[in-house]
Amino acid sequence: MKAFEEVSIGNLKLRNRFVMAPMCMKMATEDGKIQQFHYTHYQSRGYGGVGLIVLEATAIEPRGRITDRDLGIWNDSYVDGFKPFVKAVHETGAKIGIQLAHAGRKSRVPESTPVAPSAIVYDEDYEEPKALRPVQIQMMKSKFMQAARRAKEAGFDFIEIHAAHGYLINEFLSPLTNVRKDKYGGSFENRLRFLKEIIESIKTQWDGALGVRLSCEEYAEDGNHIDDYEKIADAIKDEVDVINVSSGGVVDVPIPSEPGYQVGFSESIRAHGIKTMGGGLINTEKQIKDIFDHEQADFIYLGRKLLKNPNFILEMASKAGQTELIPEAYKRAFK
Ligand SMILES: Cc1cc2nc3c(=O)[nH]c(=O)nc-3n(C[C@H](O)[C@H](O)[C@H](O)COP(=O)(O)O)c2cc1C
């Protein structure tokens, strides 16, 4: 089964094509530090056969968290917390990436005002954000860069830039949330500039495998659509190793979610000559086989399925005769 082939993202070798999707667990300390829960949670999925775990959204500054129980990596004191965690995940045979994130106008951390490209509120339950001043944009890039340096020091194998789901970078990309009049707003090229410059800044510190997560459909008439994201993919494909294809979250509109609803977007992006991670409501072996048979993605990410059943991949591996993936200690369960 193609899903179990060894494969690489840039210079990173993975034991298979399964990715654990980044999922905020809201289990960090109030200052964004890692807890025992994270060891148990991520190690279980590592022992469960995942090739690459993408750690949940990890904020590059305190007001970049979605909630005050999200993880953070905003100063050097966080590195020592991550080091033993990364080592613990490696013991399972999985590789581990970190998703560097800023929640932008969707941050709901007490006592901090959210920031965004423009002062446009998400909806009535959110606070109106402050538009970033040009100097603050430069500082933000530097915060992404410092976070990447820390991720390297901590031993992470992969960085994913979170540019999806209506968070800060996505807010710059979308005409719905970015009405700036300077070089970071207006034209397509201007809206893309923030993401491009973040990629550049990160690469001054990070020479490992690098990915970007994009919401490749905004489901709103005046927003970006898949053809806009194909152009974005063209513009960044020589700078990053993979695009993690998601959708939605920019504005509060219904998402037509049904099994495999985003797989077509992954296929469209992949046709531009960049590796993709595809997923979204992937729950069955048949869906996985079809995606690889039709070359719609290079990797499949699994989110909620792995929350429900950390050993879903092992069950598939057992059926496919890929027993080397099953930890020795668990082999008797799969006879
Ligand atoms: C509890 C939960 C937390 C999530 N947190 C994040 C996150 O931190 N970063 C992100 O990019 N996506 C996040 N997502 C979206 C998932 O990564 C994934 O794209 C989505 O759940 C669809 O995949 P699935 O149907 O396999 O769960 C989250 C989803 C869930 C269910």
Side-chain angles (χ1 to χ4, degrees), residues 63 103-109 111-132 171 177 179:
R63 67 179 167 183
R105 69 174 185 163
K106 289 171 86 178
S107 171
R108 289 208 273 193
V109 177
E111 287 148 36
S112 87
T113 303
V115 291
S118 304
I120 306 172
V121 71
Y122 180 72
D123 71 20
E124 65 275 12
D125 293 334
Y126 286 76
E127 194 179 329
E128 184 177 304
K130 283 218 156 65
L132 286 169
E171 289 159 18
T177 42
V179 296

Side-chain angles (χ1 to χ4, degrees), residues 20-26 54-58 66 70 99 101 160 162-165 167 213 244-247 261-262 279-283 301-307:
M20 177 179 180
M23 284 179 286
C24 284
M25 292 286 105
K26 303 182 189 167
V54 183
L55 182 65
E56 62 202 78
T58 302
I66 304 164
D70 293 346
Q99 188 184 50
E160 179 172 282
H162 196 350
H165 302 165
Y167 298 117
R213 191 165 219 203
N244 182 337
V245 178
S246 189
S247 69
Y261 65 110
Q262 297 171 146
L281 285 174
I282 304 297
N283 287 312
Y301 61 81
L302 299 169
R304 286 162 289 183
K305 185 70 194 174
L306 289 182
L307 294 186

